[in-house]
Each structure stands twice: as C-alpha cells, then as structure tokens.
Amino acid sequence: MKSVGQDTLGTRKLLEVDGKTYHYFSIPEAQKAIGDVSRLPVSLKVLLENVLRFEDNRSYKVDDARSVAGWLETGSSRREVPFKPARILMQDFTGVPAVVDLAAMRDGITALNGDPQKVNPLVPVDLVIDHSVMVDFSGTADSLQRNVEVEFERNGERYAFLRWGQEAFENFSVVPPGAGICHQVNLEYIAQAVWTATIGDETFAYPDTLYGTDSHTTMVNGMGVLGWGVGGIEAEAAMLGQPIAMLIPDVIGFKLTGKMPEGATATDLVLTVTQMLRKKGVVGKFVEFYGAALDTLPVADRATIGNMAPEYGATCGFFPVDALTLEYLHQTGRDEHRIRLVEAYLKAQGMFRDSDTPDPVFTDTLELDLSTIEPSLAGPKRPQDRVALKNAATAFNAELTGSLGVPANDVDKKVAVESTNYSIGHGDVVIAAITSCTNTSNPAVMIAAGLVARKARAFGLTPRPWVKTSLAPGSQVVTEYLDKAELSVDLDALGFNTVGYGCTTCIGNSGPLEEHIVDAIEDNHLVAVSVLSGNRNFEGRISPNVRANYLASPPLVVAYALLGTIREDITTVSLGTSHDGKPVYLADIWPSNKEIADLMASSISRDEFIERYGQVSRGTKEWQALQVATGSETFKWDGGSTYVQNPPYFEGITMQPVDKGDILGARVLALLGDNITTDHISPAGSIKKSSPAGLYLTEHQVAQNDFNSYGSRRGNHEVMMRGTFANIRIKNEMVPGVEGGVSKHYPGGTQGSIYDVAEEYKAEGVPLIVFGGKEYGMGSSRDWAAKGTVLLGIRAVVAESFERIHRSNLVGMGVLPLLFNEGTTRQTLELVGDEVIDIKGLDKLSPRMTLTLAITRADGSTLDVPVICRVDTVDEVEYYRHGGILQYVLRGMAQAA
C-alpha cells in the first residue's frame, strides 16, 4: 500500500501493541456517520474498511461506505463498491503473462525516457511455481527427483524468466518449484490475517486481503483472510494499484453445529457442504460460516471448506478469525508480535469472533449438524455429486449403464492386459492419488492416510497392480511430519512415494498410465476410474484415459488402491488377505480419531514450519543452476523464444495518449450467439499442428511432441493470439454450418481462420468488431480472452449483455464493450457479416453514454443503431483513452519519475 485516502469521516485512529503504534481506519468510529454495522457479516466489514482506508472522493466515496452499511436494510444491494486487495497471489501458468507485461512496461517506460526501475508492483506479489510438475514417474524411491528433472527440461525457459523477475522487481517474490502448492504455501506461510504497510514514518494495520490468479485462492478464507480468484487482467490492475469495482454481494450464512463423528473426515465434511451449497445456489455470493461448531472446528478443516468455494459456486467461503485462528498462526510459525496485533486489531474493529458473538445479519441461511457427516465420495463427473461411501458401488453401477453409456450386457467385461497376469474391467481404479492443497494442507487426513498405509502394510496388503499410486504434498512440512511420525515408510511401501510438491493429478498432471493398460482401456472402451483427494473431477480433467473420477479423503485413496475397483462396496468387502490368510476389511485398517490426534500432537511442531519456510525461496539445485541474466533492469528478449515474447502493447507509446477518435470503416470478424464463454474465446488445451498456433510453432522448429499446451505458452502473445476464438466448438454465424474459429474476409467473402482473416484486415488498416448475444464472456479463462481480442485488431464488442468481469477486462485492454438497447439484437438487425460499421461519438466519451452504430450494408443501404457504451466509470474512461490500463499506469509512472 503506497497511500491512503483523505478520511472525510475522520475514522483514522491509533492502536498500540507491544509498545508499537499502528494507524488504522476504525469501523466503530465510522458508525457515527453511517449507522450501526455491528451485525454486518465480517466479510462485508472487510469491504467497508477498504472503502474507509482509500476514500478519496473519486474512485472511493463516502457514499460507498454508506452503501455497504445500507446492505443491512434488506441483506442485499445492487450497488457497486471499489476494492483494492492488500496483495496478489499467483501460480506460474497465470503468473508468467503478468511478469511478461511488467517486463514490457520497463521497455515502455524506457521509450518514454523514464526510469525502468520505477516499474514494480505497487502491492506485494507472491508467485508460487506449482502448476508444471507432472507425475511422469511414480511408485519408486527416485520418483521425486526424476519428475523434477523432467519438469526443468520442459520449463527451464519459463523458469529462467521468472528467476530474472524475482531479482529485477521490487515487491515481487517467487517461491521456486518444489516448495509446494500456492494455496497451501499461502495458508501456512504468506498470509498474516492482518497486513501492515509503512508510509513515511507511519505504519498502518488493515485486513489481509488478496486476489489470486487461481480459483482456489479461497482456501485462505479458512483463516479469516478474504480473497478469491480473478483473471490475469484484474490481478495486474490490482498489482498496479488500481481499484476494481464489485457488486456488494449477497452473503449466505452457513451455520455449523455439533461435532464430527468417529470415522468422518474433513473431506467428507467439505463434500457435504459443497452438495448443500450447490443445491442452495450461491453463485456470485459470499458464504460466511458461523455457529457453535466453530469453537472446535480446526483451521485446517475450515481451509478445506474454503478451498472448494469454486466448486460450490461462491465467491468465497469465509470463516472469521477467532482463538483457534490465533493458535493456528502460532502453530505454523508466524511472528508472535503479529499474532498479538491480529487479535488486538480485529477486536478493535469488531471483527473477532468468539462464542458470545451475536449472529450476523445474512441474506439467507442454511444449517448443518456436523454429527450427521458420514464417509463420502463425490463423482463420477462433478464435485457436488456426493454419494455416501456405503452407496458408492451401487451408485457407480447405475452410472455405468446411465450417464456413462455402457450397455447392460457389457458391464462385467474383463480384458487381459498384455504382458501382465491380470485383467481389468469397467470401474477398476487405475489412478489413486493423494494430491491437492484441498486435503494435503490438512494434517488430520494426511496422518490418517499414513495410518491406513501402516495398518495395511502390517497385514501384508498391497495395491492392485493396475493402480498408479502417487503422493504429492502441498508443502514440504507435510513430508516433515510424516517422516517424524514414521509414516512415510509405510506410504512408500504401498507405492505412495512422493512424486513432487505441486498440484499434479488435481489439475490433470497425472502423467501417463502404463502403455498396455492404456491399450486395454482404449481398445475396449473401458470406463476406468481415478480416486483422488482433489477438488475437481470433470470428465477428461484427470487423465484422457479415465472417464470416471471420484473425490475422496486421503485415507480412502489408499483404501481404494488396495481394493482396485469402485464396483464393490468398500465398507463390506475384503480389501485383501492377511499374512495368515484371513480377509482384511476397511474397518480393520481405519484409524480412530484418537490415534490420529495423538500422532498429530507428537509429530507436528511450530519449529517444522519455521525451518522449512525459512528457506522457501532458495529452491532446488536445478533452480539455483538456471542461467539467468542478472543485474539487468530490462529483460533481454530472445526473438527465437516460443515461450516468452515482448507483447506489442507499448509499441510507439508517447507520453500523452493519441486521440483514438471514432471507429470508422470497421468490418465484422464474428457474429456469435448467446452464452459465448471466455473458454470459447481464450486459447486453452492442446495445440493442433494444423492450427495457426501449430503452424507458428512448426515454423519455429518446434516438434509437435514439444508443442506443450496453450497454458504453458501464455507468455508468448504470438501463440496466444493465434488461438483466440479458435475453440473447436465456437460457431460464427458468418459461416453457417461450420464449427471452429473460422471467419470471412470482405468484400470478397474469402473464408479462413479467424486469425488469418484478422491479420489480412490488419494489413489493410481495417478495424474489427465482434457481435454477440446474451451473457457474452462468462467463464474463468479471462485474461487472454481480452488480450487476444485486442491483439487481433478488434476495437469493439457489441452484445445483448456482458459478464461483469469480462466487460471490465475489455475496457482494461482498450476495447469498447457496447450494449444493444432492449429488443435490439444482431438478429433483429439481420446482420450477415459483410457490413461496414462506423461508431461515432467517441470524441466526448463519458460513462455509460449512448453511441451510434452507423451500419452500411453491402447493397449500400444504411442504418443508425443506438448502443450503450459500457465504459462505466470515470477511471474506465481514462483507461480507454490511454489504450488500456497498462498504458494508463505506465504513463503515470513515467510522469511521476
């Protein structure tokens, strides 16, 4: 935080902790002007404090504070308020393009005769490299090292770039590969619950808040830190100090009572919560947990629930800070003075929960008695499809002949696997993965998995030979306490050797199955199964060879590896035979709650967290050996690189923005229907050899086997712009009956890829327009959906309605979002795509003004159509006038220098 507002309401006060003085903006003091907010949900109090701290009578106004307070009248609001998080969290896939933009800004400020060292994030940014490690090797003692070596072979160029960024930028930290998963590192180390910043000689305290470039940023909600996932452009805007407007959300109160029963886990709890909230309908809403159960519910369990907010559809799943949070901060090695500051600050603000705290006012509520939780799975295709463990086999068998489409006379088919002595069939588990921060951040379920392995090993049980087993902890602390508890040796003996510290199987980096197993599955159309301790299980996500995926607790992952199938009731059938020939059942190897608690108490210590995180930025020997150009203020771009390139956003930039003027003589690049998502627009998945991106890589001597994915090449705009609007399912109405990224070039009507047509228009100096229907821009693949749009030469998008964040992103990249008036559509206008469009009135642009589309048809007839310009705020007008938010901020930095 570089500055605070003007404090019109006079809420600034002092707080003394251990003899140190902190400035803060008092919510109780604000009540004198805006009314009683004592029963406002704590998550909304965080938004209110943000307004009080930054109130400047421009972006932040006193009326915004009154709007948050006014929410209490009905438990809802249609008003927007600005929000600036305290910090940004990134993972490497989404973080690389942000660092590319920062590096390009340094080149841009140099062109403006400014100081490149002035270009730095204005709020702290932590980038954790966790998305690239894959399970190429598993089940052996050397799996971890072999996977690390392959990871660096694949990603060395990207990693060297991030190493340069780590050394070049202030306020920017990189956690190297091999340290853990970003959300678990955030929970265990980065997050502080209350953040501080020094301006001049004054230190300010305020709530720890963040945006993350990954949807599961919400995990840290479990320790009272408000944050959620955003697209790359929103993250970059916040990183550069710009507020992002958001609707004051509905807040659903989720009351928790009772205590967890014997044998149930936090995973079973979160799957139940997810099912309930999906049924309730909480998309776009905050969920805040309250109730007597919070007095005993550990922060690790809360974090598991917070983590899956995207799966239950909420913006966040928030738990207020209380005494258990303070205990967790101590346990995980946080500074003792900071812990005392957290308690003192939040109590002063009326944001600290205890057993006597009155229930907040909520938009709506629901309730769950924890004593009713039972062991569960979720699947086979969606995380909200919970099924009780005792019913899992029956439910799967019904799915086989139902949604999975297996003929009834084929369900019991068995296929011999070549070069082995076993056969596999429908429902056999071929992947059993302890993976994902959702569960590996929770010591109780990890210790439970180790105990299941220990007891199974004692009986002489081993996993079925067709099961690929793996363990990918979310931090090195997990390995530390498993080693101390002497459980690692048991997990290793069952093939759950550590394969890497990263997301792995949870995001689809499960690696290859054994070749003959793949042949058996694919040649015989078998429905193979994965069981994983992750958070998402959509068909095709975990492995291209696995159609049914079940989310489960880590101990159940181990148990299913032993059973080898989901078609039998794991609660009643034998998992195998012991040394003495007796059947072994799940109940024989399942640990008691006391066993788990006792082992946690003896194996987990504060010192482990301090020691492991004390060297978190050091990295592996492979990281340290990367060749990096040090001491350079600007990045030395390699024109031959296919991973990292200098984007053209600042080419020819001048200190004053050039008047963009009206858009004249524009052509239509695409006519699109309703519900066009950012997944339709943004490049994603594998790169086809015949696609424009594939042809580009081939021209640059990249073999098809080394194409990698669009995600891994997000730092190269040349690849990404070629994949924009290239989704194989997108339908451009200019080319009826054709699916995929195809358009026509007029006046001749020549058909080609959207990229090639756009390039032809660009060479002619012709601006482009896209027309859409309702809900244009839904989805989560947001940043390149806007970046790719502008790089194709598209100056405006005209639609019947826009998804809120994509609209903002278009403005942030200098593209006009234009809204048809009610009753007007591309269809009522009978557009075919051969029209010439002028957009007039841009010389006097103001928020939400009416502009005119002047349409000239191929026959020469004309039509003027009024549209609403969805540039919604004064700040957004400035972003557009400057050509985008990056250019706006860069000019400001250059002028300040």
Side-chain angles (χ1 to χ4, degrees):
M1 185 175 72
K2 299 297 184 182
S3 64
V4 295
Q6 62 190 29
D7 191 24
T8 300
L9 297 180
T11 65
R12 184 163 158 176
K13 298 188 72 174
L14 297 178
L15 177 70
E16 188 170 299
V17 180
D18 297 339
K20 184 175 177 62
T21 300
Y22 295 90
H23 296 254
Y24 74 104
F25 292 83
S26 169
I27 292 174
E29 193 68 24
Q31 291 184 133
K32 297 175 182 177
I34 64 175
D36 182 15
V37 293
S38 59
R39 293 187 62 201
L40 196 68
V42 175
S43 53
L44 292 191
K45 288 182 180 179
V46 175
L47 300 188
L48 175 59
E49 187 281 339
N50 200 266
V51 172
L52 299 176
R53 181 161 30 103
F54 290 117
E55 182 264 310
D56 58 3
N57 201 33
R58 176 184 164 87
S59 299
Y60 288 80
K61 298 181 179 180
V62 170
D63 276 350
D64 294 324
R66 292 195 174 100
S67 294
V68 179
W71 181 94
L72 279 167
E73 295 175 10
T74 61
S76 190
S77 176
R78 292 296 90 200
R79 295 290 300 274
E80 287 190 345
V81 292
F83 182 70
K84 287 184 191 178
R87 57 190 176 91
I88 305 296
L89 178 71
M90 295 181 168
Q91 39 94 335
D92 51 309
F93 266 24
T94 52
V96 166
V99 182
V100 166
D101 289 348
L102 281 175
M105 288 178 75
R106 285 203 164 181
D107 288 348
I109 203 169
T110 301
L112 295 175
N113 298 315
D115 180 0
Q117 289 188 320
K118 296 290 185 182
V119 176
N120 293 291
L122 299 180
V123 300
V125 177
D126 293 281
L127 189 154
V128 182
I129 301 175
D130 64 359
H131 265 51
S132 298
V133 63
M134 297 185 68
V135 189
D136 291 288
F137 303 97
S138 63
T140 61
D142 62 351
S143 296
L144 173 61
Q145 183 56 39
R146 294 174 75 185
N147 286 328
V148 167
E149 290 169 359
V150 174
E151 177 186 2
F152 274 82
E153 288 173 12
R154 288 181 179 136
N155 300 286
E157 190 177 334
R158 295 166 61 237
Y159 289 178
F161 173 65
L162 292 175
R163 268 286 304 274
W164 171 83
Q166 181 183 34
E167 297 178 14
F169 294 112
E170 298 174 5
N171 238 5
F172 178 76
S173 300
V174 174
V175 176
I181 301 172
C182 64
H183 308 305
Q184 189 161 339
V185 173
N186 189 26
L187 182 76
E188 295 177 349
Y189 174 63
I190 300 171
Q192 300 295 314
V194 170
W195 208 255
T196 59
T198 300
I199 303 173
D201 58 358
E202 298 174 333
T203 301
F204 290 82
Y206 46 96
D208 182 2
T209 57
L210 75 156
Y211 284 156
T213 58
D214 186 275
S215 58
H216 294 99
T217 298
T218 52
M219 181 170 178
V220 79
N221 297 166
M223 61 173 277
V225 175
L226 184 63
W228 56 86
V230 299
I233 293 172
E234 300 102 292
E236 288 184 44
M239 179 173 70
L240 296 170
Q242 301 302 301
I244 305 296
M246 61 178 293
L247 284 170
I248 303 173
D250 289 355
V251 184
I252 305 301
F254 199 128
K255 188 173 186 177
L256 299 177
T257 62
K259 293 185 179 181
M260 295 279 285
E262 185 70 33
T265 68
T267 314
D268 306 318
L269 171 58
V270 73
L271 295 180
T272 304
V273 168
T274 299
Q275 182 184 46
M276 291 176 67
L277 285 171
R278 266 293 170 188
K279 184 178 180 181
K280 182 75 172 177
V282 294
V283 173
K285 302 175 183 179
F286 283 9
V287 171
E288 184 165 315
F289 294 87
Y290 71 111
L294 269 61
D295 292 338
T296 56
L297 188 69
V299 168
D301 291 7
R302 302 176 190 187
T304 297
I305 294 170
N307 178 281
M308 288 190 69
E311 281 65 53
Y312 46 80
T315 302
C316 66
F318 185 80
F319 289 81
V321 171
D322 59 14
L324 291 182
T325 315
L326 301 181
E327 288 181 18
Y328 182 82
L329 291 171
H330 172 79
Q331 179 77 42
T332 50
R334 266 61 171 217
D335 176 74
E336 294 291 359
H337 172 76
R338 179 58 61 105
I339 297 171
R340 288 190 287 275
L341 172 62
V342 168
E343 182 175 9
Y345 172 83
L346 294 175
K347 284 183 175 179
Q349 292 284 48
M351 298 167 70
F352 190 89
R353 192 206 77 87
D354 61 31
S355 56
D356 296 324
T357 300
D359 291 347
V361 172
F362 293 111
T363 307
D364 198 359
T365 61
L366 69 169
E367 184 172 344
L368 173 63
D369 179 353
L370 301 191
S371 67
T372 64
I373 300 299
E374 59 182 338
S376 302
L377 303 176
K381 296 180 181 180
R382 300 188 307 176
Q384 64 264 37
D385 293 335
R386 185 189 70 86
V387 58
L389 183 64
K390 62 189 178 185
N391 300 327
T394 301
F396 176 79
N397 289 329
E399 292 279 1
L400 259 186
T401 54
S403 66
L404 294 168
V406 175
N409 60 357
D410 196 35
V411 294
D412 295 323
K413 176 172 64 178
K414 287 286 186 179
V415 177
V417 177
E418 186 179 340
S419 302
T420 73
N421 60 356
Y422 59 80
S423 300
I424 61 174
H426 296 296
D428 281 349
V429 176
V430 296
I431 294 174
I434 300 175
T435 178
S436 173
C437 53
T438 308
N439 285 290
T440 68
S441 63
N442 194 313
V445 293
M446 296 302 290
I447 293 286
L451 286 170
V452 168
R454 173 177 291 176
K455 295 184 178 193
R457 183 184 177 208
F459 279 117
L461 303 186
T462 58
R464 304 293 173 163
W466 54 83
V467 183
K468 180 177 182 176
T469 51
S470 64
L471 166 62
S475 78
Q476 294 182 1
V477 174
V478 178
T479 300
E480 189 84 13
Y481 67 67
L482 288 175
D483 286 350
K484 191 173 180 180
E486 300 181 350
L487 293 174
S488 293
V489 63
D490 299 302
L491 288 161
D492 290 350
L494 266 62
F496 286 94
N497 306 77
T498 297
V499 295
Y501 296 93
C503 300
T504 61
T505 302
C506 186
I507 60 166
N509 288 358
S510 57
L513 297 174
E514 197 278 319
E515 184 178 355
H516 293 308
I517 291 177
V518 172
D519 290 343
I521 293 170
E522 298 301 327
D523 292 348
N524 297 277
H525 307 291
L526 296 179
V527 177
V529 172
S530 75
V531 180
L532 66 149
S533 60
N535 48 46
R536 286 184 175 168
N537 57 341
F538 308 126
E539 185 172 357
R541 177 183 175 90
I542 305 305
S543 166
N545 311 117
V546 176
R547 289 184 58 197
N549 305 292
Y550 282 88
L551 306 181
S553 65
L556 277 178
V557 171
V558 177
Y560 270 107
L562 302 173
L563 182 60
T565 181
I566 201 161
R567 293 197 63 198
E568 298 177 1
D569 181 358
I570 197 170
T571 66
T572 59
V573 301
S574 168
L575 303 181
T577 304
S578 66
H579 293 299
D580 58 6
K582 295 181 179 178
V584 179
Y585 298 94
L586 182 64
D588 299 324
I589 62 172
W590 199 263
S592 69
N593 290 358
K594 185 177 186 305
E595 287 178 282
I596 296 168
D598 289 348
L599 206 47
M600 285 174 61
S602 63
S603 61
I604 302 173
S605 73
R606 173 179 168 86
D607 291 342
E608 291 167 358
F609 288 89
I610 293 173
E611 179 183 351
R612 285 292 183 173
Y613 282 112
Q615 50 191 344
V616 71
S617 61
R618 179 174 174 79
T620 63
K621 65 180 186 294
E622 291 82 5
W623 176 260
Q624 296 170 31
L626 287 171
Q627 297 297 310
V628 182
T630 58
S632 173
E633 297 175 348
T634 56
F635 185 67
K636 307 301 182 187
W637 304 97
D638 176 3
S641 171
T642 56
Y643 279 98
V644 177
Q645 282 295 327
N646 189 356
Y649 308 135
F650 309 107
E651 287 180 358
I653 192 168
T654 56
M655 188 63 81
Q656 295 300 320
V658 177
D659 184 8
K660 299 177 77 169
D662 291 341
I663 298 172
L664 303 175
R667 285 287 187 176
V668 182
L669 185 63
L671 291 172
L672 304 172
D674 295 340
N675 303 314
I676 293 297
T677 71
T678 46
D679 291 309
H680 286 113
I681 305 166
S682 181
S686 60
I687 301 172
K688 290 185 167 31
K689 187 174 184 179
S690 60
S691 69
L695 294 174
Y696 166 85
L697 292 173
T698 300
E699 290 168 3
H700 285 75
Q701 286 75 54
V702 178
Q704 186 174 4
N705 288 342
D706 297 324
F707 276 7
N708 218 322
S709 65
Y710 281 111
S712 69
R713 295 188 182 273
R714 287 182 180 179
N716 185 346
H717 66 279
E718 295 286 359
V719 171
M720 299 301 283
M721 64 190 285
R722 285 167 168 80
T724 304
F725 291 105
N727 185 289
I728 59 172
R729 294 290 176 251
I730 198 168
K731 296 177 182 178
N732 186 352
E733 294 168 1
M734 293 171 62
V735 192
V738 177
E739 283 190 330
V742 179
S743 185
K744 288 182 178 180
H745 179 274
Y746 285 100
T750 307
Q751 185 171 309
S753 72
I754 278 186
Y755 170 77
D756 289 333
V757 171
E759 284 296 291
E760 192 172 352
Y761 279 128
K762 192 181 297 183
E764 298 166 357
V766 175
L768 298 174
I769 291 179
V770 167
F771 286 90
K774 296 183 179 69
E775 300 296 329
Y776 183 88
M778 298 184 302
S780 59
S781 302
R782 294 169 177 153
D783 53 341
W784 272 105
K787 288 180 174 179
T789 294
V790 73
L791 290 174
L792 288 176
I794 297 166
R795 294 282 307 278
V797 177
V798 190
E800 295 172 57
S801 62
F802 287 93
E803 191 275 336
R804 184 176 60 85
I805 293 175
H806 185 60
R807 181 211 63 80
S808 173
N809 286 350
L810 289 174
V811 177
M813 292 308 300
V815 178
L816 275 178
L818 303 176
L819 192 68
F820 283 125
N821 285 323
E822 188 71 31
T824 303
T825 70
R826 71 197 183 285
Q827 294 162 322
T828 63
L829 296 175
E830 299 181 346
L831 300 179
V832 296
D834 61 358
E835 297 84 2
V836 176
I837 313 287
D838 294 338
I839 302 175
K840 300 177 180 180
L842 296 177
D843 55 329
K844 297 180 180 178
L845 188 65
S846 61
R848 298 184 71 97
M849 71 180 294
T850 297
L851 297 172
T852 299
L853 290 186
I855 301 173
T856 302
R857 303 188 191 277
D859 63 6
S861 61
T862 62
L863 177 66
D864 286 349
V865 179
V867 290
I868 301 169
C869 179
R870 287 298 312 277
V871 178
D872 286 356
T873 67
V874 173
D875 286 337
E876 287 189 343
V877 170
E878 286 300 297
Y879 299 160
Y880 178 77
R881 195 171 68 84
H882 281 259
I885 195 169
L886 299 178
Q887 294 87 338
Y888 170 80
V889 171
L890 183 68
R891 290 187 176 104
M893 288 178 169
Q895 289 167 357

